[in-house]
Amino acid sequence: LPEEEILCARSILRGEYYQDHQSLLSRSREAASMIVKGFQPDLDQKIIEKASKIDAAEVRELINKYINWDKRYTLTVKP
């Protein structure tokens, strides 16, 4: 992945997260939901911050961890 695309994705991820969590109500709801599920109330924020620092090599590593390249296929959609 080009570094430019990684930077763009980081910005979108952080921007959307913080836009969705501007109000006190939305932050409170998220914290309460995380606590009920047994997680730290700020877990989503920690994940967003960690994801915003990822580089292309780490993305490649994650892709290779979860995608089985031997079972890949091509899908063509036509009108």
Side-chain angles (χ1 to χ4, degrees):
L1 292 169
E3 188 65 27
E4 183 178 306
E5 287 185 32
I6 296 286
L7 293 173
C8 182
R10 285 181 192 167
S11 295
I12 291 169
L13 183 67
R14 291 185 79 197
E16 287 181 358
Y17 176 82
Y18 287 110
Q19 186 175 23
D20 289 344
H21 292 82
Q22 283 184 352
S23 73
L24 178 57
L25 178 61
S26 64
R27 292 191 305 270
S28 299
R29 282 183 178 161
E30 178 180 306
S33 173
M34 297 305 282
I35 290 170
V36 167
K37 293 174 186 174
F39 298 107
Q40 298 173 345
D42 62 345
L43 179 62
D44 281 350
Q45 185 176 8
K46 288 178 180 177
I47 290 170
I48 293 294
E49 290 303 318
K50 186 174 181 180
S52 71
K53 296 174 185 166
I54 198 167
D55 63 18
E58 291 171 303
V59 170
R60 247 183 268 110
E61 189 178 314
L62 285 169
I63 289 169
N64 289 323
K65 180 178 179 180
Y66 293 103
I67 293 180
N68 183 342
W69 294 106
D70 295 331
K71 293 184 178 183
R72 71 182 180 265
Y73 57 89
T74 302
L75 175 66
T76 304
V77 178
K78 296 181 179 182

